[in-house]
Amino acid sequence: MNDFPKIALRFVVLVLLQVLVLNNVAFSGFINPYLYVLFILMLPFNTPKWLVLISAFFLGLTIDIFTSTVGLHIAASLFMAYSREHLLKLFAPRGGYDVVLSPTIPDMGFVWFLSYAGILTFLHHSFLFIIEVFRFDEFFSTIGRSLLSTVFTLILILISQLLIYRKK
Amino acid sequence: MRNIVNFLWKNNFTILFLFLEFIAFILLVQTNRFHKASFVSNANAMSGGVYSTYDNITEYLALKRVNEEVAQENALLKSASSLSFIKMRGNHVYIDDTLHLQQYKYLSAKVINNSVHKRNNHIIINQGKEQGIEPGMGAICAKGLVGKVKDVSAHYSAVVSVLNSNTQISVKLKKNNYFGIMTWESEDNSTTATVNKIPNHVDLQIGDTIVSMGSSTIFPEGILAGTVSSFEEIPGSDFYDIKISLTTSFNNLSYVYIVKNLLKTEQQELEIKL
């Protein structure tokens, strides 16, 4: 519980960064990075499952209020939080996760983190873009957009990890 | 009974997920169908506050361009100030103001948040219900069409930008008044749009001007929409598929005018009777 101020600060910083900076960034048209998913990715391993869902709900709601699309980011964040629990189970090392560790590059290693972040970010983005379009006749262009956006979000996630956890 | 409780308890995580996801989809569908749930409008005042603080800081960067636009617009208004009046007596011109009835009023508003690269883009402006803005009003700028007011809070409004998959605006060719419908398709970007339903026997040239038709109660007639950049005949139909380049530059929009149609209720009451 003593991690709470740090996590709350991370929430505020990521939301502001998303709505004030990244929502104005677009690479060649539709590609838009959603760095705020980093909040869900970086929740500690021992966070209760229900709390992950609730915080994803409020994260999505906050982003939605700023982009005036109610429900869109909530639905995508929830889907991602739900998948996270299953993915963590799938990726668990023998003997389970060490409670003092958190899902970051220095704790879990580059390959582990990249596949963990990559899969979840792609799930989030494709879910988001599909319900945003809400039609299936643009299915492949939607998937293409989610793939490209995932790549950009991942790059930002890796940069932020390197900046925060630089070796001293 | 005990089995059910056991089952629910064992799957509480999945059930909580499904429950929250259900709420999210209800919100999503509600917002698309109707005007936003009221608590979201109130919340808009909060996000509006953050955005206007941010905008106060970045406003200075755009001052030069905004000044130029205002000067251009002034020149335009001076030469065309009677555009917002409709003629009451056929084609005769009477030099008497009681024969003109004002139909449109314009309210100026500042764009405090704007997106151009989503599938459904919105613009937030710093005028709301207290300044007389209502859902359903049109938004234009000096260069052309901007969108339609979707939702208002006390001091802010959300405008559905032309860059939105739900956009449908009646437009016409300026030179011969053939009308069509402007939409924003998935292959369009922030500077282009699509016009359908213009019959393919019409003489069409690249560079032709497309303006608003003024048949709905949202926009006045003759507001610039764009110029034809390419067109092709749709095989097996009688219509052109026209790509236009929008005259409004959504990427650096800073001020818009909200159009208040003073004769809106009159027109709508009549249309309902049809």
Side-chain angles (χ1 to χ4, degrees):
Chain A
M1 227 42 229
N2 47 13
D3 274 347
F4 183 74
K6 206 168 82 186
I7 292 175
L9 181 71
R10 196 185 293 152
F11 184 94
V12 175
V13 169
L14 281 175
V15 167
L16 287 181
L17 194 65
Q18 181 66 47
V19 298
L20 295 182
V21 182
L22 293 178
N23 277 354
N24 300 316
V25 176
F27 307 95
S28 73
F30 284 128
I31 302 155
N32 193 200
Y34 290 105
L35 184 63
Y36 74 91
V37 298
L38 184 60
F39 176 78
I40 301 174
L41 289 177
M42 283 179 71
L43 285 174
F45 286 126
N46 57 354
T47 320
K49 288 171 170 183
W50 58 270
L51 193 58
V52 176
L53 282 182
I54 299 284
S55 36
F57 184 87
F58 281 104
L59 178 68
L61 182 66
T62 322
I63 300 287
D64 270 338
I65 286 172
F66 278 98
T67 50
S68 52
T69 51
V70 186
L72 195 65
H73 290 277
I74 302 180
S77 308
L78 279 173
F79 181 67
M80 181 185 165
Y82 184 72
S83 317
R84 176 190 126 116
E85 292 307 316
H86 291 284
L87 196 73
L88 282 181
K89 223 178 277 169
L90 207 69
F91 278 15
R94 213 167 297 154
Y97 293 100
D98 193 335
V99 283
V100 294
L101 296 182
S102 50
T104 56
I105 291 182
D107 280 1
M108 300 305 297
F110 185 76
V111 177
W112 186 92
F113 184 81
L114 188 67
S115 36
Y116 165 76
I119 292 173
L120 285 182
T121 312
F122 178 67
L123 285 177
H124 172 275
H125 285 25
S126 43
F127 196 81
L128 181 79
F129 286 138
I130 286 172
I131 56 176
E132 187 183 26
V133 175
F134 226 77
R135 307 208 300 234
F136 273 99
D137 57 344
E138 295 171 11
F139 187 74
F140 288 105
S141 81
T142 309
I143 290 295
R145 277 169 57 203
S146 359
L147 260 177
L148 286 171
S149 294
T150 304
V151 171
F152 280 106
T153 308
L154 270 182
I155 291 173
L156 287 177
I157 287 176
L158 291 181
I159 290 174
S160 68
Q161 288 274 304
L162 291 176
L163 284 178
I164 301 169
Y165 301 106
R166 209 168 19 188
K167 278 195 185 120
K168 286 173 188 131
Chain B
M1 189 63 202
R2 234 184 79 191
N3 281 342
I4 295 177
V5 175
N6 272 343
F7 174 79
L8 290 180
W9 184 246
K10 234 166 71 185
N11 293 302
N12 61 1
F13 176 60
T14 307
I15 285 163
L16 180 65
F17 164 70
L18 290 177
F19 174 68
L20 291 174
E21 197 72 90
F22 181 67
I23 296 180
F25 272 93
I26 286 195
L27 287 173
L28 192 68
V29 173
Q30 282 245 332
T31 2
N32 284 344
R33 289 268 169 80
F34 312 106
H35 294 303
K36 264 176 222 159
S38 59
F39 87 95
V40 179
S41 293
N42 296 337
N44 253 345
M46 182 199 98
S47 56
V50 173
Y51 278 136
S52 36
T53 314
Y54 175 75
D55 197 63
N56 275 341
I57 301 165
T58 54
E59 188 179 16
Y60 292 99
L61 302 175
L63 274 185
K64 186 171 175 237
R65 186 176 48 75
V66 171
N67 273 338
E68 280 165 11
E69 277 179 18
V70 170
Q72 275 174 8
E73 171 122 60
N74 276 341
L76 192 80
L77 288 178
K78 270 184 188 155
S79 59
S81 62
S82 66
L83 270 185
S84 47
F85 295 85
I86 54 168
K87 278 186 200 142
M88 295 290 281
R89 294 260 170 100
N91 286 323
H92 302 284
V93 177
Y94 294 85
I95 314 296
D96 185 345
D97 259 343
T98 56
L99 297 177
H100 286 86
L101 179 66
Q102 188 171 14
Q103 187 180 7
Y104 296 105
K105 259 188 171 174
Y106 297 90
L107 301 151
S108 151
K110 190 161 174 326
V111 173
I112 57 171
N113 185 46
N114 181 14
S115 67
V116 295
H117 43 260
K118 301 212 179 74
R119 192 67 187 91
N120 292 309
N121 294 293
H122 291 86
I123 298 163
I124 308 291
I125 55 171
N126 70 345
Q127 306 277 313
K129 210 182 295 166
E130 300 213 340
Q131 287 78 25
I133 294 186
E134 290 159 20
M137 288 181 171
I140 59 173
C141 71
K143 291 180 187 163
L145 297 173
V146 172
K148 178 179 158 188
V149 176
K150 179 185 181 192
D151 190 36
V152 292
S153 68
H155 300 100
Y156 301 101
S157 307
V159 175
V160 180
S161 156
V162 168
L163 313 180
N164 192 298
S165 60
N166 299 320
T167 293
Q168 280 204 330
I169 297 174
S170 310
V171 291
K172 63 178 186 182
L173 274 168
K174 193 180 181 185
K175 64 178 183 188
N176 53 18
N177 286 343
Y178 276 100
F179 65 87
I181 293 178
M182 180 165 96
T183 54
W184 196 63
E185 304 294 339
S186 59
E187 68 271 12
D188 286 321
N189 60 33
S190 66
T191 57
T192 65
T194 306
V195 174
N196 293 314
K197 301 286 174 206
I198 289 192
N200 59 12
H201 60 77
V202 176
D203 166 42
L204 193 63
Q205 303 292 330
I206 285 178
D208 280 351
T209 310
I210 305 274
V211 297
S212 68
M213 192 162 94
S215 63
S216 68
T217 54
I218 303 166
F219 298 109
E221 187 186 343
I223 304 290
L224 271 180
T227 53
V228 175
S229 59
S230 73
F231 61 90
E232 56 185 32
E233 291 179 28
I234 307 171
S237 91
D238 300 332
F239 302 111
Y240 281 123
D241 180 25
I242 306 173
K243 287 280 165 218
I244 63 171
S245 64
L246 295 166
T247 45
T248 307
S249 52
F250 285 89
N251 288 301
N252 56 9
L253 204 58
S254 34
Y255 281 90
V256 295
Y257 297 96
I258 303 299
V259 186
K260 186 184 172 99
N261 186 343
L262 301 170
L263 303 180
K264 181 179 180 177
T265 24
E266 193 179 322
Q267 186 180 342
Q268 281 176 343
E269 274 170 14
L270 194 64
E271 280 172 357
I272 281 172
K273 287 180 193 155
L274 293 177

